Amino acid sequence: MVRATDRQPSMLGSLDWWTIGIYLALLIFGWISVCGASYTYGDTDIFSLDTRSGMQIVWIGTSICLGFVLLTLDDHFYDTFAFFIYVGMLLLLFATIFNPHEIKGSRSWLVLGPLRLQPAEFAKFATALAVAKLMSTYGFTMNNWKHFGSACLVIILPMIFIVAQKETGSALVYFSFFLMFYREGMSGSFLFTGVAMVIYFVVGVRFEQVMLWDTPTSLGRFIVLILVQVFTAGMVRSYINDRGRTTRLVALGILLTGLCLLVSKFITAFDVTIVQLILTGALVCWLIYRWLSARIRNYFYIAIFAVGSVLFFYSVDYVLNDVMEPHQRVRINVLLGLEEDLAGAGYNVHQSEIAIGSGGLRGKGFLNGTQTKLKFVPEQDTDFIFCTVGEEEGFLGSAAVLLLFLALILRLIKLAERQPFKFGRIYGYCVLSVFLFHLFINVGMVLGLTPVIGIPLPFFSYGGSSLWGFTILLFIFLRIDASRNKSRMQ
């Protein structure tokens, strides 16, 4: 039951107009970018519905109307029907797997006459609502493995259906929810493990074929196994405060590794990583011994981390060559500098970098970009639209856009932190995490800093599904925030 406090401001008075102002500014910048990216020399009417810039105005107008409708609904609607919305969206995602229409190798689009919708874009807000509802129930705690597992399941299910639609990029977005988990009490070791796996992958693949000191020892494997031992020792120091014995054990292992490397270089050549694996195994056995003798469970978890690290690293080669599609493998090799392929997998990023670099400080001006007008950059009005900002508006325009996104991120943090109830706070951090992931990956992709996984830039990329999806995600939170002054009576 909800009872309004005395002299409670109206819903419009409680709305965060700063966030709405940032939203409108991003829509305007986004339309200018779509217009610049889709414009061709000779076009006389950029507002015509026959052009992508004209259709984007339709998507923007309908998005604003949709946002207004979401604000008129009672805030309890989202709390009460969270699971129903989530289940309905799961059914829609499952049905989309069998969609007969395949667009660019993906079955993620529903074609309804002239209208094309991508359910994966709408599943984000449904998943955010469901996980917020689950985690705000009485007694839920991130320290309970069953509770944590159920929250992970809510996130993983839509990912499975989206991957089955051959839309891997959209599925990866759901990993952003783990940032919200961290805010709500998930151990930092999970995030550290994720970062460590990325380091293993990048270092191992990048230097796999580089031999250390002309010995049979792979530099990539050598560095990764050293990192596994160092990270393991660091976790023992951080989570158990056992600084003495573990540090000495790892230091001894690194010393023995160095001696073996000298023997391999100057006496008898052999693969030093074999010795490193033996030393890592000894470290794991010691951790398990400490777990059994001291009855401290964290020793066991750290041992699992060490074993999992080694298994993950040695499975990378199998994943790259036997699981990933050829185009995905080439993209990773290009990103890591193992291949050039400027005419193939690296073409998009290369042309995008040229377009951004040609913009200089102030840019070439609205509709004056040459790289984008001559269509050198594929997907320049969708996934690679940020290159249009860089070419036409230059460094100053790109910085202004990024500052707008930064203002949105900071504002969402403030709104989430001022929520009086867990449901609103958790949903707010879900919204924040999704926006942050999209921004970081999309801009990084355009600049050649992250893999090309094909996700849109919020409020900029052309299309109705992504624009509606981001609008729904944001305005539900604005509606929840507008009711923060209500008091709840059980």
Side-chain angles (χ1 to χ4, degrees), residues 273-322:
T273 59
I274 297 175
V275 176
Q276 288 181 293
L277 286 172
I278 294 173
L279 292 174
T280 304
L283 178 60
V284 171
C285 291
W286 182 84
L287 289 170
I288 293 176
Y289 166 75
R290 289 293 299 161
W291 166 55
L292 294 174
S293 60
R295 300 296 180 182
I296 300 176
R297 190 176 299 177
N298 283 344
Y299 278 114
F300 175 69
Y301 293 147
I302 296 172
I304 291 178
F305 166 81
V307 174
S309 296
V310 174
L311 292 178
F312 170 82
F313 172 65
Y314 278 91
S315 67
V316 165
D317 185 68
Y318 170 76
V319 173
L320 278 176
N321 296 306
D322 298 308

Side-chain angles (χ1 to χ4, degrees), residues 164-189:
Q165 300 169 8
K166 301 180 181 178
E167 189 64 31
T168 308
S170 296
L172 293 176
V173 175
Y174 289 79
F175 282 115
S176 64
F177 287 105
F178 282 87
L179 294 175
M180 176 274 297
F181 284 167
Y182 179 70
R183 166 59 182 83
E184 293 301 316
M186 183 184 73
S187 172
S189 59

Side-chain angles (χ1 to χ4, degrees), residues 15 37 81 83 89 148 150-151 227 229 260 278 304 316 358:
L15 275 177
F81 293 97
F83 287 135
M89 194 58 63
F148 178 66
S150 61
L227 288 175
Q229 297 173 22
C260 291
I278 294 173
I304 291 178
V316 165
S358 67

